[in-house]
């Protein structure tokens, strides 16, 4: 399928960016429910993620599905994105990264790997990350936000890193590439906690509601664990 809406413009319009959105997990710690279908303000997190990428002008988006694909696909099929199926999602996040990176078809300057369960991530946050990428020191091939000294997401890297990962061993993903090439990685210090907030457990849902005052709700069909 084609490119996502080019809404960024201005400073970032000359950087052609692709994104891989990871949405293949089983949600085993959430009653085997897909966490990207949690709703904030009535909007599923997966749709909020795609809206943010579109608003930031990201050129091409691949959504990686695995577990619960039949529930997620209807909510994203009206976006101009490519859907890629991980046939072995239990092999972990690296396998989904590799499926998504291989599915990117365009000629790209940079690639972003995005979690599908970051409730607060918006277009401005994506735009800021692209801005950090544009300002990276010479020789930098990966930019990863660090908030309070801890890794955060999304991560953005040179398209050549995508090629390196695909050509590497099956257990090589973005983090493994960074560990092997630390001199080419920028830990971009940010105080934007939206990069750190994602949802993995019931405790994360409770903490999110306590810290933000916003409520995450399951859609009616998923109010009970599977």
């Amino acid at each position: 399928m084609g490119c996502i809406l080019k809404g960024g413009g201005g400073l970032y319009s000359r950087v052609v960016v692709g994104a891989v959105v990871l949405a293949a997990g089983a949600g085993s710690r959430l009653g085997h429910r897909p966490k990207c279908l949690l709703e904030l303000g009535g909007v599923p997190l997966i749709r909020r993620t795609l809206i943010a990428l579109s608003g930031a002008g990201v050129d091409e988006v691949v959504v990686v599905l695995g577990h619960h694909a039949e529930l997620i696909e209807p909510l994203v099929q009206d976006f101009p994105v490519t859907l890629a199926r991980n046939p072995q999602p239990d092999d972990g996040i690296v396998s989904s990264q590799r499926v998504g990176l291989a599915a990117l078809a365009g000629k790209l300057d940079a690639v972003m790997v995005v979690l599908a369960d970051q409730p607060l991530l918006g277009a401005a946050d994506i735009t800021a990350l692209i801005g950090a990428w544009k300002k990276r020191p010479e020789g930098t091939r990966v930019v990863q936000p660090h908030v309070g000294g801890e890794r955060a997401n999304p991560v953005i890297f040179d398209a050549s890193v995508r090629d390196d990962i695909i050509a590497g061993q099956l257990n090589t993903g973005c983090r493994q590439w960074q560990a092997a090439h630390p001199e080419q990685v920028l830990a971009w210090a940010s105080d934007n906690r939206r990069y750190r907030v994602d949802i993995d457990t019931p405790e994360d849902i409770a903490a999110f509601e306590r810290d933000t005052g916003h409520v995450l709700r399951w859609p009616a069909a998923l109010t009970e664990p599977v």
Side-chain angles (χ1 to χ4, degrees), residues 107-126:
K107 183 174 177 57
L108 304 170
D109 297 311
V111 175
M112 191 178 299
V113 173
V114 186
L115 305 179
D117 61 338
Q118 292 189 268
L120 300 178
L121 199 68
D125 307 308
I126 301 295

Side-chain angles (χ1 to χ4, degrees), residues 119-196:
L120 300 178
L121 199 68
D125 307 308
I126 301 295
T127 298
L129 180 59
I130 296 172
W133 166 254
K134 287 179 64 71
K135 298 172 186 176
R136 69 195 186 281
E138 185 177 356
T140 298
R141 295 172 70 192
V142 176
V143 174
Q144 178 150 26
H146 277 60
V147 179
E150 298 185 13
R151 286 174 178 263
N153 289 287
V155 60
I156 187 170
F157 45 85
D158 190 86
S160 65
V161 174
R162 181 266 308 265
D163 298 336
D164 288 352
I165 292 172
I166 292 173
Q169 297 180 349
L170 293 180
N171 62 352
T172 298
C174 185
R175 180 169 290 201
Q176 291 75 21
W177 191 97
Q178 291 185 61
H181 305 85
E183 74 286 355
Q184 298 178 52
V185 178
L186 172 65
W188 175 49
S190 173
D191 60 1
N192 183 353
R193 294 196 58 81
R194 290 187 291 274
Y195 294 128
R196 278 284 300 162

Side-chain angles (χ1 to χ4, degrees), residues 207-223:
F208 177 82
E209 296 176 2
R210 182 181 64 247
D211 295 343
T212 69
H214 297 296
V215 177
L216 292 170
R217 302 185 188 279
W218 292 106
L222 293 175
T223 51

Side-chain angles (χ1 to χ4, degrees), residues 17-102:
V17 180
V20 172
V21 178
L22 303 175
S28 57
R29 289 180 287 177
L30 288 168
H32 293 277
R33 291 173 289 185
K35 53 191 177 180
C36 67
L37 296 193
L38 278 165
E39 296 178 355
L40 177 60
V43 181
L45 299 187
I46 183 68
R47 290 184 65 88
R48 296 180 72 92
T49 299
L50 295 180
I51 290 167
L53 292 170
S54 179
V58 172
D59 298 270
E60 180 184 359
V61 174
V62 171
V63 178
V64 182
L65 303 178
H67 292 286
H68 310 297
E70 73 286 352
L71 297 176
I72 300 169
E73 184 171 347
L75 296 179
V76 302
Q77 61 187 5
D78 58 331
F79 287 87
V81 301
T82 298
L83 301 179
R85 185 71 69 94
N86 182 353
Q88 297 178 300
D90 288 330
D91 286 352
I93 195 169
V94 168
S95 68
S96 291
Q97 283 183 14
R98 295 175 65 88
V99 167
L101 293 174

